[in-house]
Amino acid sequence: MSTPTTFTELLALGSDEAIALTAPGRLPLTYHALRQHVQQTITTLNGYGIGRNDRVAIVLPNGPEMASAFVSVAAGATAAPLNPAYQQNEYAFYMEDLHAKALLVEQGSASPAVAAAQELGIPLLELIVADNDPAGRFSLTSDLPATSAASGGPASSEDVALILHTSGTTSRPKIVPLLQRNVCASVGNIRDTLALTPTDHCLNVMPLFHIHGLMAALLSSLLAGASVCCTPGFNALQFFAWLDSEKPTWYTAVPTMHQAILSRAAR
């Protein structure tokens, strides 16, 4: 099975009418709608002067908007998702280290990331979800002046799609840039190893600022033309209710999550 080399090619594989994203209590988003949304988001970013290889820090809660924001930004710029639990000084360090061109947050966000960005002079991109929007659809607004990106349009295989930091347990955290083709190759290996098909439905409980949630759950599913339920994050009390409502074919998690699920299974 062939593997694409860009996010645009990756997203092109799902059937138009197939479901791409779901979320508890939300209408689903089809692949056709997701592709339209990604293209519109790239156009919006380009209109604010943000294009290929420009780094956009993303601080959003787990859920379908985080999933689609990551995919949309990475398809036309460079996504740098950050942990929503960081403190202001941590955000200041990471965004300065990234040379972030903008910070993407929910409109009206009280995250300390906003104060850190303002302190550094980094403009905000604010995400707005309208009533009855399906899972993952949003619009963006900003105080950035209207301009043209130096390198607009969808990213190429040699552009940087994703930037993460190492944990920094032994020294200063280091930037890890992943090219479009790097990400697609890794995701292709996951899809093939798990033998994912368009009939699969993943229940994602992993954080979407982490490589595990982004690659193993979200992108591997999208590459397979399958669907992903984007939960608000891991909740052992809700897990079995989500199984009933979403009827997933698989989920992925870390050992402590599996242990918490098993400890409640008998109930």
Side-chain angles (χ1 to χ4, degrees):
M1 190 180 294
S2 63
T3 299
T5 59
T6 68
F7 272 54
T8 299
E9 293 174 358
L10 183 154
L11 294 171
L13 299 178
S15 299
D16 279 355
E17 69 283 358
I19 301 301
L21 301 178
T22 71
R26 299 280 299 279
L27 295 170
L29 188 74
T30 65
Y31 272 92
H32 176 68
L34 177 60
R35 286 189 281 264
Q36 284 187 321
H37 176 75
V38 168
Q39 182 53 58
Q40 180 57 54
T41 302
I42 292 173
T43 300
T44 300
L45 291 173
N46 290 170
Y48 287 131
I50 298 169
R52 293 156 53 188
N53 294 304
D54 287 330
R55 299 170 176 183
V56 178
I58 304 173
V59 179
L60 294 170
N62 242 39
E65 283 68 51
M66 176 60 207
S68 62
F70 163 70
V71 170
S72 299
V73 171
T78 299
L82 299 175
N83 189 340
Y86 282 156
Q87 301 299 312
Q88 184 175 335
N89 63 326
E90 293 173 301
Y91 283 125
F93 165 78
Y94 286 115
M95 285 191 283
E96 187 171 30
D97 197 43
L98 287 166
H99 300 291
K101 192 158 186 179
L103 168 66
L104 197 162
V105 293
E106 292 178 305
Q107 187 175 51
S109 172
S111 168
V114 174
Q118 291 170 338
E119 187 178 88
L120 294 169
I122 295 171
L124 300 182
L125 292 165
E126 294 189 300
L127 181 152
I128 303 167
V129 178
D131 292 342
N132 298 319
D133 264 350
R137 193 162 69 193
F138 59 80
S139 59
L140 291 177
T141 185
S142 179
D143 290 333
L144 278 164
T147 184
S148 296
S151 299
S156 73
S157 61
E158 298 302 311
D159 290 327
V160 177
L162 168 64
I163 286 184
L164 297 170
H165 277 85
T166 60
S167 61
T169 52
T170 58
S171 63
R172 186 179 188 272
K174 298 175 181 64
I175 283 178
V176 181
L178 296 174
L179 302 181
Q180 296 270 329
R181 60 177 174 82
N182 295 147
V183 174
C184 289
S186 295
V187 172
N189 288 334
I190 297 169
R191 174 201 61 186
D192 295 345
T193 300
L194 297 179
L196 298 177
T197 74
T199 62
D200 279 303
H201 183 45
C202 176
L203 181 68
N204 179 54
V205 295
M206 288 296 297
L208 290 175
F209 61 85
H210 192 277
I211 195 76
H212 185 152
L214 293 173
M215 303 278 253
L218 177 63
L219 291 180
S220 67
S221 295
L222 296 179
L223 179 58
S227 57
V228 187
C229 174
C230 303
T231 72
F234 180 66
N235 184 329
L237 300 176
Q238 288 290 322
F239 184 81
F240 289 97
W242 289 335
L243 289 187
D244 287 340
S245 62
E246 289 291 328
K247 296 178 174 54
T249 59
W250 71 291
Y251 84 101
T252 182
V254 294
T256 52
M257 293 178 179
H258 296 311
Q259 290 168 353
I261 290 165
L262 288 173
S263 71
R264 295 192 60 81
R267 304 182 195 181

